Amino acid sequence: MFKGSPSVCTSNLVDFVILFQWEVVQRTLNGSQFYTYSVCNVGEREQDNWLRTTFIQRRPAASRVFVELQFIVRDCNSFGDSSVTCKETFNLFTSESDADVGTTFRKGQFKKVATIAPDEITSKNELHINTETRVVENLSRKGFYLAFQDIGACVALLSARVYYKTCPATVKSLASFPETVAGGENQALREVSGVCMDNAISEELPRIYCTVDGEWVVPVGQCQCKSGYEEVKDACQECQAGFFKAAASGDKCEPCPANTQKLNSGALVCPCMDGFYRAPTDPPTGPCSGLPSAPRDLVATTTQLSTGKLLLSWQPPEDTGGRSDITYSIECQRCEGVVCQSCGEKIRYEPASTGLTDTKVSVSELDAHLNYTFTVEAHSGVSLFASQITSMRLVERTSTSLSLSWDVFPRPRVQSRPIRYELTYRKKVRRIYKNFVQISKLAPGTAYLFRVQALSSDGTPGGSSMEEQFETSLEGTEEDHRGKSFTCFTGFIIIYRKRNSHTRQGPEDTYFSSSEQLKPLKTYVDPHTYEDPNTAVLKFATEIHPSHITKQKVIGAGEFGEVYRGILKVPGRKEVAVAIKTLKPGYSEKQRQDFLSEASIMGQFSHQNIIRLEGVVTKFKHAMIVTEYMENGALDRYLRDHDGEFASFQLVGMLRGIAAGMKYLSDMSYVHRDLAARNILVNNTLECKVSDFGLSRVLEDDPEGTYTTSGGKIPIRWTAPEAIAYRKFTSASDVWSFGIVMWEVMAFGERPYWDMSNHEVMKAINEAFRLPAPMDCPSAVYQLMLQCWLQDRSKRPRFGDIVNLLDKLLRSPDSLKTIADFDPRVSIRLPSTSGSDGSPFRSVSEWLESIKMSQYSENFTCAGVVTMDQVLQMKNEDIKNIGVRLPGHLKRIAYSILGLKDQTSTLSVFAV
Ligand code: AMP
């Protein structure tokens, strides 16, 4: 069978095998010779002459086919006497079959499709070829036959063509839709989902309908080019060099704004040129501005000197750097002879000494005998971001402390609110106001890396120093004479202290804050944003010399090579047990970068429940990633090996750790995408830590990854529906996965959804089914799982909520005593319909909402079905009768009712 594109048909002459009275006749028409199937028994009564085609295979989706016939019918009048019995029509029949029956022919199996009559009949003098097309509907079997019945006409069949219609493959709104066979009368519109073109994304899957005539109509939803790309002729093209696009939208790329660097193609934003900055309130897509020049023509008017008063006024800077948020600050120095010092708080400024928007200030309470020097500085929103930290110095050191100082340029104003600095050293960050700090309680004889960064008042980072390395002295050396009592300044300090690499500390050591509450300190930086991935590794990971690493035993197989247990012994530091991930020989540069990307990501994290990076080997042939060693390996396997050996509160304790790690990641805006028990590692104190951070891991590494239509790999049974449907990976989709991890943990490493196929899992989830409570699972824990699996991702709890709730459960062990229902005789747990015991459905409308069928609420009410008990009595016929007509909706409602009452079903999931 041939297909016809909409309106144009491809020809296919079908073959005939069965001939009763019909014969093949060679004819000459318009000078060319061809064969016809002919019959012409016009003089005889009761003719019943059949011609049948060979078996015509049907493409599964083509339920409606077209039959186009070319034929000649002779005028009965031209047969004189015979015209009494002569006919001028013939009949088209069809018969469906799943197999070719060869030459077997049973008339009774054929159904009549149409009577075929010519538009023009052929007389003795004039030949007329007729063309007629008929439709055969509702085909469902593997193939079919056509047959022609002659009942006494003089007919010659020139050709019979069979075709079906398709909507051709197309691209609309940046989504590609596959070629689709048009439906038949039972499905006049076929809904087809599209796939976004490369580099385009969509919130909702774009859809379109294919009509019976092979035409696309009513496109719904659309894809948009992602950031860095714009639409050009049905495709997404990278923004040209010098242009940028910051977000997915239908907009074109825009030229880089003033004072920004014109990057290569595909830019998301245009970074500021050297010497130009954006204030935190400036849009990242806007222009950058320079620093204002100095205010001009400073004048001091001393009208009331006797009262110690002075009016300073000046002109605005010549160059405002392109900004209107110019403010001024005054600095005062008091000099006696050659000795000058800051005026401090001795004098008064009206209205103020900083943040002035007017170009004047009144200064009072001056001492008439002294010389004052006033400096007026102009500032703008970008002034702080221009701060440069230069030359960090080691001032003092003891076995456990280092004292450092540095310079900042431009110099901070003396009287104004001081600049705060953020000091980063390996595993420690402090926020301080002075350009000097003493860090105590360090390990003796240990090298630490330091970096200082200026912060704006809202914590936005400005310029930072180079990373510098300083070492504490060895214990007992003469440098260590200062003891531990050295205090060097008063002021505001926030210390963010991370676990020391080599001493085990309790969880309370993880943070401490000497004053204000700790805000999320950092945001995760995608190593991809670095043009050179090697720069990212260097920034986030410490280089280790391979001679300090000893491999002992293979403990696992990673995507890129073996994973070893081993020892890390850096001179001057205690040796530690580590896991060493290796890159197998023969790797490509891309593979090496992908391999090291895991270190670039892991190196940015520092949390008790995130696997800790010790460092990397990148400068030698055999690249390695070295992490802390987790004695008990992967969590899923560990739990399977210790099935039933832990009490609920121990399991909940593990979950609390994982949730805390995930909260940390989500606070840093890092979305894991592959949270599963197999990616959690367990140490010998049963601490659980989140691992597996490679950029390519979701694509390649995970054996659970299943290819989706868009080519990506997704671990279906751990992934939230919206992430499967349209790649909406968020912390909320991580929460869904966390719910699955909860289930895995409470079920001692059982495989989620057991042996159901990925397809069955997706179908069940879409139909609002969820995993049942594992055996002996506390009810409160199971309720939390169900919350994590809410379809509406905005309703799912956040990791912060989850940590709080698990903490609460751990604090009151009684709360874990109520066990979620589990009926050991059947593998299905059924929700009760009473609603009083916390069951999911308290009313018909709640149930309908849960299966997304709320639109029928009224139908149920009008029909008097108002309780769940009544719902359970309903038969399919009843559902139809109350007005649910669409087969899909009927099925969903009926299936859900079945799920509610089928006590013996072996389906191991249930509806929420
Ligand atoms: P991965 O490539 O991270 O999936 O690691 C492969 C396997 O190596 C894991 O499933 C673990 O069994 C083991 N493994 C990886 N990292 C560690 C570690 N830090 N401590 C102990 N075992 C590990």
Side-chain angles (χ1 to χ4, degrees):
M1 183 171 57
F2 275 52
K3 89 186 168 209
S5 54
S7 67
V8 188
C9 311
T10 347
S11 72
N12 176 32
L13 278 175
V14 292
D15 280 338
F16 295 89
V17 287
I18 302 290
L19 298 93
F20 289 109
Q21 299 291 325
W22 292 68
E23 54 191 0
V24 180
V25 177
Q26 191 183 14
R27 289 171 189 269
T28 311
L29 265 182
N30 301 337
S32 49
Q33 289 216 324
F34 59 97
Y35 292 91
T36 64
Y37 288 91
S38 300
V39 63
C40 196
N41 299 339
V42 291
E44 292 155 46
R45 289 177 180 277
E46 296 189 5
Q47 291 298 300
D48 187 19
N49 308 320
W50 288 82
L51 170 68
R52 197 210 70 186
T53 62
T54 48
F55 186 59
I56 304 168
Q57 294 258 358
R58 190 179 68 87
R59 183 170 157 181
S63 64
R64 184 178 203 246
V65 301
F66 297 80
V67 180
E68 186 201 81
L69 305 170
Q70 281 193 307
F71 59 94
I72 299 162
V73 177
R74 282 277 299 274
D75 182 357
C76 281
N77 290 328
S78 60
F79 296 108
D81 286 352
S82 305
S83 62
V84 185
T85 52
C86 173
K87 302 278 188 309
E88 286 177 351
T89 61
F90 61 99
N91 297 321
L92 170 64
F93 279 74
T94 181
S95 167
E96 286 197 79
S97 169
D98 281 326
D100 189 346
V101 296
T103 52
T104 317
F105 177 69
R106 286 202 195 91
K107 226 169 30 178
Q109 288 174 339
F110 280 78
K111 271 190 327 204
K112 184 165 166 182
V113 177
T115 300
I116 312 286
D119 284 341
E120 289 182 282
I121 46 181
T122 293
S123 63
K124 269 192 185 137
N125 310 324
E126 235 181 319
L127 182 113
H128 288 290
I129 299 175
N130 291 277
T131 306
E132 291 284 329
T133 304
R134 292 291 179 270
V135 180
V136 183
E137 291 273 9
N138 297 330
L139 294 173
S140 61
R141 299 176 70 172
K142 291 214 172 107
F144 60 95
Y145 296 94
L146 295 175
F148 300 93
Q149 180 199 34
D150 164 54
I151 47 169
C154 190
V155 186
L157 200 52
L158 275 65
S159 75
R161 291 198 294 142
V162 177
Y163 60 88
Y164 58 92
K165 290 188 179 176
T166 62
C167 291
T170 188
V171 173
K172 287 195 192 306
S173 309
L174 289 175
S176 70
F177 297 90
E179 182 194 55
T180 302
V181 175
E185 62 186 7
N186 57 349
Q187 199 193 10
L189 288 177
R190 275 198 169 147
E191 189 180 352
V192 181
S193 294
V195 174
C196 287
M197 305 293 285
D198 285 352
N199 302 310
I201 50 175
S202 70
E203 275 278 308
E204 214 182 316
L205 266 189
R207 283 164 293 136
I208 197 168
Y209 295 92
C210 176
T211 68
V212 277
D213 287 328
E215 267 184 292
W216 293 112
V217 293
V218 205
V220 184
Q222 64 164 17
C223 302
Q224 294 181 321
C225 292
K226 64 185 192 187
S227 44
Y229 289 82
E230 64 185 344
E231 182 174 351
V232 180
K233 292 191 199 129
D234 281 342
C236 290
Q237 234 174 49
E238 275 191 330
C239 296
Q240 291 171 29
F243 285 72
F244 77 103
K245 200 177 108 184
S249 72
D251 299 342
K252 288 273 168 201
C253 301
E254 288 176 51
C256 285
N259 305 321
T260 58
Q261 295 174 38
K262 303 195 176 8
L263 296 181
N264 294 342
S265 53
L268 314 189
V269 287
C270 307
C272 292
M273 286 177 359
D274 279 352
F276 292 87
Y277 312 91
R278 285 188 181 105
T281 47
D282 292 347
T285 50
C288 298
S289 17
L291 294 174
S293 58
R296 293 166 299 154
D297 309 333
L298 177 63
V299 180
T301 323
T302 54
T303 47
Q304 290 169 289
L305 193 56
S306 55
T307 58
K309 207 163 180 179
L310 186 74
L311 185 71
L312 296 176
S313 63
W314 58 90
Q315 291 301 310
E318 197 160 25
D319 178 9
T320 61
R323 303 187 66 88
S324 56
D325 56 352
I326 302 290
T327 58
Y328 304 95
S329 64
I330 318 292
E331 222 185 281
C332 169
Q333 296 246 302
R334 191 159 46 102
C335 300
E336 282 175 275
V338 287
V339 183
C340 289
Q341 61 183 110
S342 168
C343 305
E345 287 169 8
K346 291 208 169 74
I347 56 173
R348 283 166 51 93
Y349 297 89
E350 186 59 38
S353 65
T354 59
L356 293 167
T357 47
D358 258 0
T359 53
K360 58 180 192 274
V361 67
S362 133
V363 189
S364 56
E365 296 183 21
L366 297 168
D367 191 329
H369 308 292
L370 292 176
N371 267 340
Y372 292 95
T373 306
F374 291 98
T375 312
V376 180
E377 279 181 20
H379 308 274
S380 72
V382 298
S383 293
L384 178 65
F385 300 92
S387 320
Q388 298 288 329
I389 307 288
T390 53
S391 63
M392 191 169 15
R393 297 172 294 276
L394 175 65
V395 178
E396 197 88 60
R397 70 172 184 166
T398 71
S399 66
T400 55
S401 73
L402 294 167
S403 305
L404 312 170
S405 77
W406 55 87
D407 298 329
V408 56
F409 179 84
R411 203 159 42 86
R413 284 155 284 134
V414 172
Q415 272 217 334
S416 58
R417 195 180 145 86
I419 300 182
R420 288 192 300 158
Y421 300 95
E422 181 173 87
L423 168 69
T424 313
Y425 54 100
R426 210 171 86 77
K427 302 209 182 276
K428 299 210 176 191
V429 175
R430 283 187 179 201
R431 287 183 178 200
I432 45 191
Y433 281 122
K434 304 235 169 174
N435 55 347
F436 172 83
V437 68
Q438 185 195 37
I439 303 139
S440 316
K441 296 184 185 160
L442 299 181
T446 304
Y448 289 88
L449 291 167
F450 297 87
R451 183 197 297 276
V452 182
Q453 183 158 40
L455 297 176
S456 74
S457 54
D458 68 352
T460 316
S464 79
S465 74
M466 295 291 288
E467 201 164 64
E468 304 280 350
Q469 179 174 319
F470 302 110
E471 256 177 60
T472 46
S473 56
L474 288 168
E475 226 152 1
T477 61
E478 69 255 33
E479 287 172 301
D480 189 17
H481 61 278
R482 291 190 170 266
K484 286 167 188 154
S485 60
F486 178 61
T487 46
C488 60
F489 57 84
T490 54
F492 178 76
I493 317 168
I494 298 174
I495 300 181
Y496 169 52
R497 196 166 87 173
K498 299 179 179 180
R499 275 171 56 114
N500 181 297
S501 325
H502 308 298
T503 53
R504 300 237 176 258
Q505 295 166 331
E508 65 284 359
D509 276 344
T510 311
Y511 300 104
F512 78 82
S513 160
S514 63
S515 75
E516 72 180 26
Q517 178 126 33
L518 276 172
K519 286 201 257 54
L521 288 167
K522 298 192 284 186
T523 304
Y524 155 73
V525 182
D526 183 345
H528 269 145
T529 53
Y530 285 77
E531 219 163 90
D532 178 6
N534 297 313
T535 318
V537 186
L538 288 179
K539 182 169 163 92
F540 298 121
T542 310
E543 182 73 24
I544 298 176
H545 195 280
S547 66
H548 299 160
I549 300 169
T550 315
K551 288 189 226 148
Q552 292 176 319
K553 183 182 162 212
V554 176
I555 50 167
E559 178 199 351
F560 296 97
E562 267 104 28
V563 182
Y564 293 83
R565 184 191 69 197
I567 297 289
L568 175 66
K569 173 78 190 83
V570 174
R573 275 169 52 178
K574 267 220 281 257
E575 65 174 39
V576 276
V578 287
I580 303 148
K581 285 192 174 183
T582 57
L583 177 59
K584 51 182 168 260
Y587 53 82
S588 65
E589 180 53 26
K590 163 98 178 46
Q591 279 170 325
R592 183 176 173 278
Q593 286 173 3
D594 281 353
F595 171 70
L596 290 173
S597 72
E598 179 166 18
S600 305
I601 296 170
M602 216 190 289
Q604 296 181 50
F605 304 141
S606 169
H607 189 272
Q608 178 106 356
N609 300 101
I610 307 287
I611 199 82
R612 189 185 64 239
L613 178 71
E614 293 285 0
V616 286
V617 178
T618 64
K619 300 196 172 144
F620 293 81
K621 192 166 150 225
H622 298 293
M624 288 180 237
I625 297 179
V626 182
T627 67
E628 67 181 306
Y629 179 61
M630 299 293 283
E631 293 81 355
N632 284 318
L635 177 62
D636 59 337
R637 148 129 284 171
Y638 178 71
L639 287 172
R640 279 198 281 274
D641 292 346
H642 295 85
D643 193 358
E645 291 177 22
F646 299 112
S648 284
F649 80 87
Q650 288 174 294
L651 299 175
V652 174
M654 293 180 186
L655 290 175
R656 194 263 171 217
I658 302 166
M662 288 308 298
K663 175 184 182 312
Y664 174 85
L665 294 181
S666 67
D667 283 348
M668 282 187 68
S669 307
Y670 178 81
V671 178
H672 190 289
R673 294 175 175 227
D674 197 10
L675 178 59
R678 66 184 166 280
N679 290 328
I680 305 292
L681 294 170
V682 190
N683 68 12
N684 55 2
T685 60
L686 295 196
E687 249 180 333
C688 290
K689 307 202 182 197
V690 181
S691 81
D692 210 13
F693 297 103
L695 282 181
S696 64
R697 72 196 191 282
V698 181
L699 295 173
E700 271 120 36
D701 191 18
D702 193 331
E704 285 290 349
T706 302
Y707 280 103
T708 61
T709 44
S710 50
K713 251 178 150 191
I714 288 181
I716 297 290
R717 52 196 79 214
W718 280 264
T719 305
E722 74 276 6
I724 298 176
Y726 48 97
R727 306 195 148 256
K728 186 81 191 163
F729 285 97
T730 58
S731 291
S733 63
D734 276 353
V735 164
W736 178 291
S737 311
F738 180 77
I740 304 290
V741 172
M742 288 180 75
W743 191 91
E744 292 183 273
V745 168
M746 300 315 291
F748 285 95
E750 179 97 66
R751 181 170 169 74
Y753 310 97
W754 303 275
D755 53 1
M756 284 169 75
S757 70
N758 281 339
H759 184 79
E760 284 166 335
V761 171
M762 282 163 66
K763 190 163 172 307
I765 293 297
N766 283 340
E767 285 166 357
F769 288 93
R770 297 292 184 267
L771 279 164
M775 201 158 8
D776 296 330
C777 177
S779 182
V781 175
Y782 183 56
Q783 287 308 316
L784 180 59
M785 289 180 207
L786 292 177
Q787 296 290 310
C788 295
W789 301 328
L790 287 176
Q791 183 76 24
D792 180 348
R793 65 173 188 276
S794 68
K795 299 220 168 82
R796 293 174 205 152
R798 279 175 302 202
F799 280 113
D801 306 323
I802 296 175
V803 173
N804 291 343
L805 186 101
L806 294 176
D807 273 343
K808 216 165 107 192
L809 297 181
L810 289 168
R811 277 197 301 269
S812 48
D814 278 358
S815 63
L816 298 174
K817 284 198 177 135
T818 315
I819 301 301
D821 285 352
F822 182 83
D823 183 347
R825 289 164 303 163
V826 290
S827 52
I828 187 164
R829 185 180 103 81
L830 297 163
S832 141
T833 51
S834 73
S836 58
D837 56 357
S839 74
F841 309 125
R842 280 179 292 272
S843 64
V844 176
S845 60
E846 196 181 298
W847 161 65
L848 284 172
E849 195 179 331
S850 78
I851 57 170
K852 293 220 154 47
M853 291 282 109
S854 290
Q855 67 268 42
Y856 295 112
S857 264
E858 233 180 295
N859 302 48
F860 280 78
T861 320
C862 292
V865 182
V866 290
T867 66
M868 286 307 289
D869 281 342
Q870 286 172 304
V871 168
L872 288 176
Q873 305 305 318
M874 289 179 90
K875 309 246 167 353
N876 288 6
E877 221 30 54
D878 303 331
I879 308 169
K880 234 189 239 169
N881 287 342
I882 67 166
V884 183
R885 293 278 145 74
L886 289 175
H889 293 182
L890 250 171
K891 211 168 113 192
R892 188 182 296 186
I893 292 172
Y895 192 11
S896 173
I897 295 178
L898 212 65
L900 290 172
K901 61 183 182 188
D902 185 359
Q903 293 283 337
T904 57
S905 166
T906 52
L907 186 65
S908 306
V909 287
F910 83 98
V912 291

